[in-house]
Each structure stands twice: as structure tokens, then as C-alpha cells.
Amino acid sequence: MNLLKDLKFKKSNKTPLYLQIANSLTYNISKGSIKMNEKLPSINVFSKEYKVSRDTVEKAYNVLKDKKIIIGIKGKGVYINRTKLISKINILFLVNKLSTYKLETYHSFLKNIGNEYHTDFEIYNSEKSFCVNLMEKNKMRYDYYVIIPHFKCTNVNQINIKNDALKAITSIPREKLVLMDNNELTIDGDIIEIYQDFENDIYNALKNGLKKTANYKRLNLVIPEGKTYPYFHKIRRGFIKFCNEHLFNFKILNKIQEDESINSRQLFITISDDDLVKLLDIIKTKRLTIGQDVGIISYNETPFKRLLDIAVISTDFEKMGETAADMIINNKKGKIKNPFTLIDRNSI
């Protein structure tokens, strides 16, 4: 029993007792107090020695088994199976899609989190079932779960994340949960959340650019229909609110058609990069001048928009990753609204 002398846990601590035991064992293994292939006390012995329930010890051992740190050998007991990497804090980073801006957030997170942390990266393609499977598969294996929870929906009534996806996310202990980009879940408790406020963000960004948008006769929001995302509905509401309050003539388009009627002094706000490319092609064909005849604002900053000098309304994706890393490192909790702005360029 000497190898367990340095175990530290308290029943009064907010962290569940089984997690405290698992974390304390992990710490002892990482610093070399418990060696590779060394045998751990049985559940009964541990329970008696430390005056905790058998169920608590079993749950703690199961956490370590899921992380492949220990292994149970039938008829012989439980042994240390892995010592590499466990000295690091392990993070699962789940993103809904592989896009330029999501990668910018991820790379910023890696840059700021430091070498003491090990991060695995997974993509669930905005599908609820795939996300649920990934979380179930990796349940209890990580110290933190960083999730960007955006799921496809077929109509605007599906504006909340429900059922299996929400259950899977809320099954993660609050102290391990980091939500990014989306504040629809309204999960209680002390968690880390860095979010966009889609409705008010677009409203305030357009309001800040009012001197330029006032030069246009009509504002057009190009926002995809069909299998989209709930936050599209919020962007639409924020746009309509801005136009109504400032007496703009406006139109909402589901996509840019090849024969799209584009007249002088119209401003187009594109959400999809595909629609942005189509719009640029039509403007070029009609020999119109961007920023003079026609205005363009695109949603979400990317390098090619900077190169093309296209104005954007965008959150700061690099800042989002930086903030998440800082809160994990410094054990901070709370909900932080990520910066959002209009980046003025010559396309308006």
C-alpha cells in the first residue's frame, strides 16, 4: 500500500470523488510514484483503506481503463498499462466542419495551450448522430472536451439543440466542458463558454458601418435555405431588425442565381462563400465595379477575402481559441462573448 500514500482527495470538494481519485492516481503515475506494470490495490482493498464506497473506486478505475492507463487482467488484478502522455492534460477538440475559420480557432488554441497539454482533433460534419457517437466513444477519456456545437436542421423551428446531442453534451462533467461559438445550449453550472451572439452581432456590425451602407438603395442578405444551421435564423433576424430600424429597402435571397438581376447601388451580404464566388462572377460579367456600382460584405474573415479586398463582418476566430486556452490554463469559468466587428474594405 506504500504506492498510494500520496493520494489526495476530499469528500467536500465540488469535483466528484471518483474523478479526484482517478486524477490523483494519474498524477502519481506521471511523476513516477507508480511504475509501469505495477499492480494497483483491488477495489475491496482500496475501499477499505480509504473509507470510500466500492462503487466510487470502481468508477475511478473505469475512468483510467477508458484512458488505457490501467488494464484489468482476469484473475490477477489491475495493472498500470501506460505512462506516456498521462503527465499531460488531455483535450478532445470537436468541430462541426473543416473550414478556414474553424481551423484558425483550432490552431490558435494549440498555439496558446502550450506543451503541457495533449489535444486530439475530431470533425463530426454538423451531424448530431456522429457527434453523439464521438462523445460516447470518448466518454471519460479526456480532461477537457472543447466542442463547437453546430448541427444541421431542415427548418427554422429547429433552433434548439435537443434530444441525444444535448444529452451527450450535458453528460460531460461541467468542469470538463468548454463550449465555443454557439450559446444556444443554456447549460447551467460552472462551464467555459466563448460564444457569438449572431443576431445582435450582425445588427451592431451593420450599425457601425451605417455611413457606408446608407449609400445603397437596397440591402440584400444572401442566406442558404434547405438543410442549414439554426444560427442562420438569428442572422436573418438581426439583419431585418437593422433594415427596419434604419428604413432600408431590403431583400432576402436564398442563393445567387446565374441570371441574378444586379442593379447599381445594391449591397449584397453573403453568408456562403459559394454565393460570394457566384456574385463576383456575375459582377465581372456585367462589368460593374465593386465598391462603386455594387457593394459586397461577406460573413466570416478568410485569407482570400483579405486578398480580394472584400469587406467582412466576422468574429475574431483567433481570439476565440486564445480565450479558451487561457481559461483552461488558469482554471477560469464563465461565459465570454467573443469580439465581432465589421472589417471595412474597398468592396463597400
Side-chain angles (χ1 to χ4, degrees), residues 36-247:
M36 183 70 177
N37 297 323
E38 201 156 356
K39 186 178 180 180
L40 289 180
S42 69
I43 290 174
N44 286 332
V45 170
F46 195 112
S47 174
K48 183 178 179 180
E49 179 73 15
Y50 286 95
K51 297 180 175 58
V52 294
S53 71
R54 291 186 77 263
D55 287 345
T56 298
V57 181
E58 186 175 12
K59 285 177 74 174
Y61 278 13
N62 284 339
V63 169
L64 300 180
K65 285 177 182 177
D66 285 341
K67 291 183 177 183
K68 312 300 183 188
I69 293 173
I70 66 175
I71 186 171
I73 301 175
K74 192 172 181 179
K76 292 188 177 181
V78 180
Y79 293 83
I80 304 302
N81 182 56
R82 181 166 69 97
T83 57
K84 291 182 179 179
L85 284 182
I86 65 169
S87 60
K88 297 190 176 185
I89 297 173
N90 294 296
I91 300 169
L92 178 62
F93 200 106
L94 273 172
V95 301
N96 62 308
K97 62 180 179 179
L98 194 62
S99 63
T100 301
Y101 28 96
K102 297 297 167 63
L103 283 176
E104 185 174 354
T105 299
Y106 174 63
H107 290 146
S108 173
F109 180 82
L110 289 184
K111 176 183 175 182
N112 288 280
I113 198 67
N115 294 326
E116 293 79 18
Y117 296 78
H118 172 77
T119 304
D120 290 329
F121 183 75
E122 293 279 4
I123 307 163
Y124 63 90
N125 297 318
S126 301
E127 297 292 345
K128 291 181 185 179
S129 59
F130 193 10
C131 183
V132 169
N133 289 338
L134 280 171
M135 284 188 284
E136 288 294 329
K137 174 185 174 184
N138 293 290
K139 194 173 183 179
M140 306 309 298
R141 291 187 179 181
Y142 292 89
D143 300 292
Y144 287 97
Y145 294 77
V146 180
I147 305 170
I148 299 178
H150 288 303
F151 302 95
K152 293 175 184 175
C153 65
T154 54
N155 60 70
V156 296
N157 293 320
Q158 296 178 331
I159 60 173
N160 294 317
I161 298 172
K162 298 178 181 178
N163 304 325
D164 293 344
L166 181 57
K167 287 179 182 178
I169 292 171
T170 54
S171 70
I172 297 170
R174 298 296 191 268
E175 68 273 9
K176 292 186 171 190
L177 189 57
V178 182
L179 297 178
M180 300 177 70
D181 207 34
N182 186 357
N183 67 339
E184 292 174 357
L185 277 70
T186 59
I187 295 176
D188 59 355
D190 287 336
I191 66 170
I192 297 172
E193 185 173 351
I194 305 102
Y195 66 93
Q196 294 191 62
D197 182 358
F198 293 95
E199 180 175 342
N200 290 315
D201 280 346
I202 188 171
Y203 170 83
N204 290 322
L206 292 174
K207 188 176 179 180
N208 289 337
L210 188 57
K211 286 184 178 179
K212 284 203 167 183
T213 55
N215 295 322
Y216 295 95
K217 288 183 177 180
R218 191 177 83 192
L219 274 58
N220 303 287
L221 176 66
V222 188
I223 194 161
E225 63 177 350
K227 201 169 188 181
T228 56
Y229 303 94
Y231 65 84
F232 283 6
H233 183 56
K234 296 182 178 182
I235 292 172
R236 187 185 289 109
R237 282 202 313 243
F239 171 76
I240 293 172
K241 177 182 175 183
F242 169 79
C243 291
N244 285 336
E245 285 191 9
H246 297 281
L247 304 177

